[in-house]
Amino acid sequence: MRKEVVQRFEEAKQLYEQHGVDVDKALEKLEQIKISVHCWQGDDVQGFLFGDQELSGGISVTGQYPGAAQTAEQLRADLQKALSMIPGKHKVNLHAIYADTDEQVDLDQLEPKHFQTWVDWAKEQGLGLDFNPTCFSHEKSKDGFTLSHPDPEIRRFWIDHCKASRRIGAYFGEQLGQTCVTNIWVPDGYKDVPVDRLTPRQRLKEALDEVFAEELNPAHNLDALESKLFGIGSEAYVVGSHEFYMGYGISNNKLICLDAGHFHPTESIAGKLSSLSLFTDGILLHVSRPMRWDSDHVVIMDDELIEIGRELVRNNLIETTHIGLDFFDGSINRVAAWVIGTRNTIKALLRAMLEPTESLKKAEFEGDYTTRLALLEEFKSYPFGAVWDYYCAQMGVPVRENWLAEVKAYETEVLLKR
Ligand code: RNT
Ligand code: ZN
């Protein structure tokens, strides 16, 4: 390791230790945290199952940056490249459309074997896998409804797809010895103001009951449900609202997924974690960056991310929270997008771990809000970057922006030749 990196780290450590922050312990803890890196940043949510399907469900990727992965093999290579520049051992989050098979198989017929190449790769790389049924970009979802569709036959198709997905998730968990989180998000909703808000929700509830009827080993698969406030094409009404899934999740022991872009623009998911934690065994996060709408921009070190990190650390929610990423930007190098968003997420957790949480809580408890504000503000310019650099060096990944040259080389050698 370079001398300056160590020296700066030692200096920083001293500063933090004056406030009772155990820097070595923080780094040990950080190393244990697994981020679920979403595969869909690598190919603009295209997948491999249906060829050129238009992305639907009210989500959208813009940008024409060259080099998007076109095959599962390419996507794995890109992910591997990105992961080699991110400190720690993590998970990869797959969607059903990323099945890697020559068989012509529809979503309701998917089986674990269609993901065998992913499982083999994950084993070889020491990665965990998470999973998602793909309830969009399909012929049977084109009118905007899936699990709550008024037509029982279409509803059946999506129920079967979600059932199949859970079995795939359980297979991942069993094979890899790491619990897979299978997250269900459906786009169902109306563009314009509905008359009947209740009946689609009743249908969704019944459909979910059927999806979850099969008992699976929770050590292999955990189910999660992702709500949304509105989407493009479902501006007036989303069947799976936050209240809906919060109710469903708490009464049926399912993880509730909070996506940073799925609430009112000034509403922060960070603020919801403490409340939810009191009534659930765990939470799933989709760390994302909405800009004016659920735009899924690459995650940056903004106030929202810092606050998410703080809530997880200060409230001891790290162990029970599954931290997933959900952004997709086609206007920049996609490998770089992963590296930036994932490194930021980890860095935000480190930043939070380096705060003098105990002194801050004490000041607050004693009503000394002056100290609380003073310390919080001063700590913003404490040298967490020196600790981060040391951590990266220690974990064998590029320090600071040195990863960028590697991404550029990969772009020239691999991405631009596609
Ligand atoms: C959509 C949800 C969902 C998707 C992914 C691709 O608004 O956030 O999580 O982004 O499943
Ligand atoms: Zn999401």
Side-chain angles (χ1 to χ4, degrees), residues 235-335:
E235 288 85 352
Y237 169 76
V238 168
V239 184
S241 62
H242 181 52
E243 293 72 13
F244 178 89
Y245 286 128
M246 197 161 85
Y248 193 93
I250 291 172
S251 30
N252 295 281
N253 200 19
K254 302 295 171 199
L255 297 172
I256 293 158
C257 171
L258 300 176
D259 182 309
H262 289 192
F263 295 87
H264 285 281
T266 58
E267 209 175 342
S268 151
I269 62 165
K272 300 178 189 299
L273 296 170
S274 49
S275 300
L276 261 191
S277 76
L278 292 174
F279 304 100
T280 59
D281 296 332
I283 296 168
L284 171 64
L285 296 183
H286 271 189
V287 181
S288 189
R289 178 164 55 109
M291 205 185 280
R292 306 193 189 280
W293 71 291
D294 180 29
S295 59
D296 293 293
H297 277 69
V298 177
V299 165
I300 59 171
M301 184 63 74
D302 57 6
D303 287 349
E304 172 78 351
L305 185 67
I306 293 170
E307 209 54 29
I308 290 172
R310 286 170 165 168
E311 286 298 308
L312 293 176
V313 170
R314 290 175 185 166
N315 302 323
N316 259 325
L317 298 177
I318 290 285
E319 266 154 52
T320 49
T321 305
H322 306 266
I323 308 172
L325 305 175
D326 188 11
F327 51 79
F328 22 98
D329 189 338
S331 73
I332 59 173
N333 181 303
R334 293 170 184 79
V335 175

Side-chain angles (χ1 to χ4, degrees), residues 40 59 95 136 185 226 228 259 262 286 294 326 328:
W40 51 92
I59 53 180
H95 243 283
F136 52 85
W185 169 70
E226 182 177 3
K228 194 160 173 167
D259 182 309
H262 289 192
H286 271 189
D294 180 29
D326 188 11
F328 22 98

Side-chain angles (χ1 to χ4, degrees), residues 1 84-88 390-399 406:
M1 197 183 300
S84 74
M85 294 176 278
I86 296 164
Y390 176 83
Y391 180 63
C392 287
Q394 190 196 38
M395 299 298 286
V397 303
V399 172
E406 276 190 42

Side-chain angles (χ1 to χ4, degrees), residues 359-361 363-364 368-377:
S359 331
L360 288 167
K361 281 187 180 168
E364 183 167 276
D368 185 358
Y369 307 141
T370 311
T371 298
R372 179 181 67 184
L373 185 62
L375 282 183
L376 278 174
E377 288 310 296

